[in-house]
Amino acid sequence: MPASSRRIRIVFACVILGFHGTTAAAQKTPRPPGNADPRIAEALKQVSSARIQANVEKLVSFQTRSTLSAQDATSIAAGRGIGAAREWIKSEFQKYSQDCGGCLQVKIDSFTESPSDRIPQPTEITNVYAMLQGTDPESAKRIILVTGHYDSRNSDTLNAAGAAPGANDDGSGTAVSLECARVLSRLKFPATIIFLTVAGEEQGLNGSKHFAQMAKTAGWNIVAVLNNDIVGGDRNPQQSASVVRVFSEGVPIAASDADLRLIRNLGGESDSASRELARYVAEVDSSYDIGVTPMLVFRLDRYLRGSDHISFNQQGYAAVRFTEYREDYHHQHQDVRTENGIEYGDLPKFVNFDYVAGVARLNAATLASLASAPAPPAKVHLLTKELQNDSTLTWEPSSRASAYEVLWRDTTSSDWEHVQAVGNVTKITLPISKDNVIFAVRAVDNESHRSLPAIPVPER
Ligand SMILES: [Zn+2]
């Protein structure tokens, strides 16, 4: 594992009277038991690499899933093209729903995209999704979403008919959404989960853009988006089969001028909602038997590359991207062929299905943890009226929370270093200077489910 992927674990600090500030020498202790929910742990055991393999091979069987490929009734009946892939994904979600007494609402989001660089003629693009409605009326308005793109491409983005197997890019991510739906639909959660598969990614993120805009217009409160794109763990010699990269934006794409002023003044460059989500993923990983470790990358995406999480970031939603540790560019966006002894093409034989299962467990554990947790406390304020070295935080109670925790870290640290349980209160004064650390507050329910942390805003 690369040194950069070693993550600082949260220290449950014993804060005693007179304790001042944080120290680099603070003792790091393993996470105490109790963070793992046995119900979630049991669901993770149901994730099947054989299932994932069968689903990726089924997606590849459509020969091409180019967004520009056929979607007429004849092609669908023949099992060829993106239309056939779409119908199959829909039928899979419906099957899972039948197995849980109709617990999933299976829907499509379909629209006609106007011509552009990579779309020569008006093209129907269809996103397919399944919604597991939350059981608590208030919490159900909070939505946690997992997505992958089911469209594929070969060397030419405009090639609508040639083979484009797309096993890794992004059959793997599509299989993660499907497998999460299969195993989590057997459980009930207070908040809502959406299992999404989008098209049009390779033509310019068209499907996810439409979906994110639709969600924004409808006022959906999506609190976390997990985008899986190229999570196949390509079997190249430099691959790490135990590490998955998690990319997250720092300064939000959707930040307003006022947001940017606050970020500049307070050093908030590494505390976007997406970054907190990435840290949450890492914390979840350490609580369960997952099989892969996230390596957080503090960057929107790889150089010159993008993916569907960006569509959600643009609408102001917290969204991160999962990608395998090391990509093999011979195996993505390539026509299937052999040249000078090198095999090109995105074929199932290069995919490590045990690895994809690990990524699916990490996604499922994060979805289930967030969907079980109370909402983060609202209106978290750091009082700055008077000049003083103590720090006073206030917040509004969160429904279903039975307690709160204050997190903090040095301004130079990449991850939370200290957690203090403060009980069921909405105000706390800590003997730590706000000028030296970054604070956050999170809500905890009586089964130890933790919310995403909320960063305080200064109150004058
Ligand atoms: Zn992709």
Side-chain angles (χ1 to χ4, degrees):
M1 185 190 303
S4 56
S5 76
R6 249 178 262 130
R7 200 176 42 74
I8 297 164
R9 300 212 165 169
I10 293 171
V11 174
F12 279 69
C14 292
V15 176
I16 48 167
L17 271 161
F19 174 83
H20 277 263
T22 60
T23 64
Q27 198 195 341
K28 304 282 188 284
T29 57
R31 185 169 314 288
N35 272 14
D37 175 337
R39 226 172 47 117
I40 297 174
E42 194 49 45
L44 299 183
K45 289 187 193 152
Q46 310 304 316
V47 170
S48 154
S49 59
R51 264 272 182 180
I52 287 168
Q53 178 168 359
N55 288 346
V56 169
E57 285 170 353
K58 181 70 187 178
L59 287 164
V60 170
S61 78
F62 301 113
Q63 296 176 61
T64 175
R65 304 186 310 279
S66 161
T67 298
L68 309 176
S69 66
Q71 41 183 322
D72 57 285
T74 312
S75 307
I76 291 171
R80 188 181 171 105
I82 192 159
R86 172 190 80 208
E87 292 306 313
W88 175 76
I89 291 167
K90 215 194 306 175
S91 71
E92 276 301 289
F93 280 141
Q94 279 159 348
K95 232 194 287 172
Y96 307 156
S97 189
Q98 274 163 22
D99 292 345
C100 63
C103 74
L104 296 173
Q105 301 166 45
V106 181
K107 297 187 178 188
I108 57 164
D109 162 38
S110 202
F111 61 101
T112 302
E113 189 64 285
S114 311
S116 62
D117 282 5
R118 294 181 168 194
I119 299 183
Q121 56 207 27
T123 299
E124 192 186 342
I125 295 181
T126 302
N127 304 315
V128 186
Y129 62 106
M131 195 184 286
L132 181 62
Q133 187 72 26
T135 52
D136 176 70
E138 191 54 36
S139 306
K141 295 176 194 157
R142 258 183 313 122
I143 299 169
I144 332 297
L145 186 147
V146 60
T147 188
H149 70 88
Y150 72 93
D151 63 309
S152 66
R153 59 166 288 182
N154 52 32
S155 298
D156 177 4
T157 354
L158 296 176
N159 183 337
N168 192 347
D169 186 10
D170 185 30
S172 63
T174 302
V176 166
S177 276
L178 285 168
E179 191 63 355
C180 286
R182 192 179 70 83
V183 302
L184 295 184
S185 57
R186 298 167 179 181
L187 304 181
K188 301 227 178 301
F189 302 97
T192 296
I193 304 178
I194 290 178
F195 309 94
L196 173 64
T197 66
V198 298
E201 197 273 347
E202 303 291 6
Q203 313 310 120
L205 314 183
N206 307 69
S208 57
K209 251 179 220 164
H210 189 269
F211 191 93
Q213 273 164 5
M214 174 194 74
K216 182 71 184 226
T217 306
W220 288 7
N221 181 21
I222 300 177
V223 296
V225 173
L226 310 179
N227 173 33
N228 292 272
D229 193 358
I230 313 180
V231 292
D234 180 274
R235 298 175 183 277
N236 63 68
Q238 291 88 15
Q239 188 63 274
S240 169
S242 62
V243 176
V244 61
R245 291 180 290 170
V246 181
F247 288 85
S248 60
E249 65 175 3
V251 177
I253 298 174
S256 67
D257 286 349
D259 294 336
L260 291 173
R261 260 197 306 281
L262 213 54
I263 288 168
R264 267 197 297 270
N265 290 343
L266 301 175
E269 297 87 349
S270 194
D271 284 284
S272 67
S274 301
R275 187 67 41 89
E276 304 309 351
L277 174 58
R279 294 186 178 108
Y280 192 96
V281 170
E283 181 171 358
V284 164
D285 185 80
S286 67
S287 305
Y288 292 96
D289 195 5
I290 300 286
V292 296
T293 307
M295 167 183 164
L296 305 193
V297 184
F298 286 3
R299 178 170 282 161
L300 176 64
D301 207 320
R302 301 106 77 232
Y303 273 80
L304 303 178
R305 306 290 294 273
S307 184
D308 296 310
H309 59 301
I310 296 173
S311 298
F312 289 92
N313 288 153
Q314 282 166 339
Q315 299 302 326
Y317 293 123
V320 299
R321 179 200 182 143
F322 294 74
T323 301
E324 65 191 12
Y325 175 66
R326 189 179 169 100
E327 295 163 83
D328 187 329
Y329 302 108
H330 294 148
H331 301 156
Q332 45 177 273
H333 302 189
Q334 294 284 355
D335 290 340
V336 179
R337 66 193 191 281
T338 301
E339 254 176 41
N340 303 323
I342 296 171
E343 278 188 283
Y344 292 85
D346 191 353
L347 298 167
K349 67 175 177 182
F350 302 124
V351 174
N352 176 345
F353 295 102
D354 289 335
Y355 178 86
V356 186
V359 176
R361 279 191 292 274
L362 181 53
N363 274 264
T366 305
L367 294 168
S369 298
L370 283 171
S372 303
K379 297 196 176 148
V380 181
H381 289 166
L382 188 51
L383 305 192
T384 54
K385 231 172 276 178
E386 287 163 39
L387 295 175
Q388 54 193 16
N389 283 308
D390 287 352
S391 300
T392 298
L393 291 149
T394 65
W395 57 89
E396 286 189 350
S398 171
S399 74
R400 296 182 43 253
S402 57
Y404 299 88
E405 290 174 343
V406 176
L407 316 178
W408 71 95
R409 67 178 199 271
D410 287 350
T411 59
T412 51
S413 298
S414 59
D415 198 1
W416 301 111
E417 295 170 309
H418 307 274
V419 177
Q420 188 182 347
V422 296
N424 197 357
V425 299
T426 55
K427 182 174 184 178
I428 187 83
T429 299
L430 295 171
I432 300 165
S433 170
K434 56 190 151 303
D435 299 318
N436 299 348
V437 301
I438 293 166
F439 280 115
V441 183
R442 66 184 177 189
V444 188
D445 73 3
N446 48 23
E447 289 175 310
S448 297
H449 299 119
R450 266 100 180 157
S451 76
L452 285 164
I455 301 288
V457 293
E459 181 182 311
R460 292 203 176 86

